[in-house]
């Protein structure tokens, strides 16, 4: 992560001393979102069972949304003058998303395993919203959008398991 924070054209933050720290928060979220999108593809290829086709197609929708969110998060970091690292080495070193076993997985297990991981990512970001907002409300808004989208995905996965909405 490179800082280019010496420009006069950078947005002012509620706490300008926190620019690098806010960039670091965005870096962590970026890693998790990229890894979620990789995991989604892995499960897209692994799913078997009666509902496999529907899950297979649905997973590509989720992957597309996670990739878009990753782009928004990365571009917020650059906007603040902090260049994020979205390369595989950074994602492998920093992601907190639990990998899955390589091999075929029944449709309900795919939905369960993915739902658990999406929830974990959303919870970790939610825990940081308060401190991020104290440093930069606009970044907090970006992360609120990420959490809202992930929590919506939790619901869409949960109902596929037959749980109450
Ligand atoms: Fe595909």
């Amino acid at each position: 992560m490179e800082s280019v924070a010496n420009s006069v054209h950078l947005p002012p933050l509620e706490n300008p001393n926190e620019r690098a720290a806010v960039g670091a928060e965005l870096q962590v979220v970026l890693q998790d979102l990229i890894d979620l999108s990789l995991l989604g593809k892995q499960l897209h290829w692994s799913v078997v069972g009666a509902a496999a086709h529907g899950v297979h197609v649905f997973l590509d929708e989720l992957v597309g949304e996670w990739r878009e969110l990753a782009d928004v998060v990365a571009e917020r970091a650059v906007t603040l003058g902090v260049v994020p690292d979205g390369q595989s080495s950074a994602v492998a070193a920093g992601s907190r998303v639990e990998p899955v076993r390589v091999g075929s997985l029944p449709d309900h297990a795919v939905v369960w395993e993915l739902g658990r991981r999406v929830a974990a990512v959303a919870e970790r970001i939610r825990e940081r919203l308060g401190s991020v907002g104290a440093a930069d409300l606009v970044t907090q808004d970006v992360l609120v959008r990420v959490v809202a989208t992930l929590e919506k995905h939790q619901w869409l996965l949960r109902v596929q398991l037959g749980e109450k909405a």
Side-chain angles (χ1 to χ4, degrees), residues 21-94:
V22 172
E25 297 278 1
L26 289 162
Q27 171 69 33
V28 169
V29 174
L30 175 66
Q31 289 162 182
D32 280 0
L33 287 171
I34 292 173
D35 206 11
L36 262 189
S37 71
L38 295 172
L39 180 79
K41 271 295 188 188
Q42 181 66 33
L43 293 170
H44 168 87
W45 300 319
S46 307
V47 64
V48 296
H53 179 70
V55 172
H56 173 81
V57 172
F58 176 56
L59 288 179
D60 257 357
E61 284 176 30
L62 296 182
V63 167
E65 291 195 42
W66 295 333
R67 289 187 59 78
E68 280 177 28
L69 285 176
D71 193 45
V72 171
V73 166
E75 289 176 3
R76 179 63 194 163
V78 188
T79 300
L80 294 176
V82 180
V83 180
D85 190 348
Q87 299 177 95
S88 59
S89 54
V91 174

Side-chain angles (χ1 to χ4, degrees), residues 25 28-29 32 96 118-134 140 143-144 146-148 150-151 154:
E25 297 278 1
V28 169
V29 174
D32 280 0
R96 301 162 299 179
V118 170
V121 172
E123 281 170 32
R124 285 194 294 263
I125 302 170
R126 195 185 248 285
E127 283 170 7
R128 305 296 300 161
L129 288 177
S131 57
V132 169
Q140 182 192 52
L143 295 184
V144 164
V146 172
V147 172
L150 293 177
E151 290 182 350
Q154 276 178 250

